[in-house]
Amino acid sequence: MKIIITSHGKLCEGIVDSYNMIVGPTSDIVTLPFYGSLEEFRKQQNKIFEDFKNEEIIVLCDLLGGTPYNEFLRSKIENLFNGEIICGYNLGMLIELLMVAMDSETKLSSAIDIALETGKSSVRLAEIAVVTEDEDIEF
């Protein structure tokens, strides 16, 4: 299973850089930033599809209705790749998703479910508990 992360500008590259810093580099992630040229984006997208034509693919897009999302949705409708598209992502989601995706027995639907649940549960408001003098602060 391969992960394609796409975004407007360098967001996708930045999140992979953070992933590499925490977990280490992997060949299972490919980034595809959009810089305004639809022709260039489609060219790079088609190369990725060719490189991974026998792989299941999960696409992580930055913004619902944005050009990267729309282009991958168009490609999915045209059956240019075998996989699913998730709109919105965060680092916690990416880490968890790659951990389950590396297991060759993980089904695409299970990986999607885990990614969506982790993405939702990793976004939360920080809560500060009141600590008395003789208690240690726990993080």
Side-chain angles (χ1 to χ4, degrees):
M1 193 175 312
K2 299 294 184 184
I3 312 298
I4 301 171
I5 305 177
T6 186
S7 65
H8 295 82
K10 297 180 181 182
L11 177 64
C12 60
E13 294 168 341
I15 198 166
V16 172
D17 185 51
S18 294
Y19 174 90
N20 291 341
M21 181 181 175
I22 294 168
V23 180
T26 178
S27 61
D28 293 322
I29 303 174
V30 174
T31 60
L32 181 53
F34 176 67
Y35 291 111
S37 169
L38 195 53
E39 181 180 331
E40 183 61 29
F41 187 85
R42 286 180 177 166
K43 180 180 171 186
Q44 292 176 10
Q45 188 183 41
N46 289 330
K47 178 167 181 354
I48 291 169
F49 293 152
E50 182 62 32
D51 290 347
F52 300 139
K53 65 183 169 192
N54 297 320
E55 300 274 352
E56 289 183 314
I57 295 173
I58 297 176
V59 180
L60 303 178
C61 297
D62 64 341
L63 188 62
L64 181 66
T67 300
Y69 172 84
N70 290 342
E71 285 304 304
F72 275 97
L73 184 59
R74 177 192 57 77
S75 297
K76 182 166 175 58
I77 291 167
E78 294 175 1
N79 293 312
L80 298 179
F81 73 97
N82 175 26
E84 297 294 341
I85 303 167
I86 296 176
C87 183
Y89 52 82
N90 60 45
L91 186 55
M93 171 196 273
L94 181 60
I95 292 170
E96 190 69 26
L97 179 58
L98 261 294
M99 289 193 176
V100 298
M102 285 188 228
D103 181 353
S104 61
E105 294 184 23
T106 300
K107 296 188 183 309
L108 180 65
S109 60
S110 296
I112 295 293
D113 290 344
I114 289 167
L116 292 173
E117 182 56 37
T118 303
K120 291 174 189 174
S121 67
S122 64
V123 176
R124 57 179 58 201
L125 181 64
E127 295 182 29
I128 301 174
V130 177
V131 179
T132 61
E133 288 181 25
D134 36 328
E135 289 181 316
D136 290 332
I137 297 175
E138 292 185 31
F139 292 97

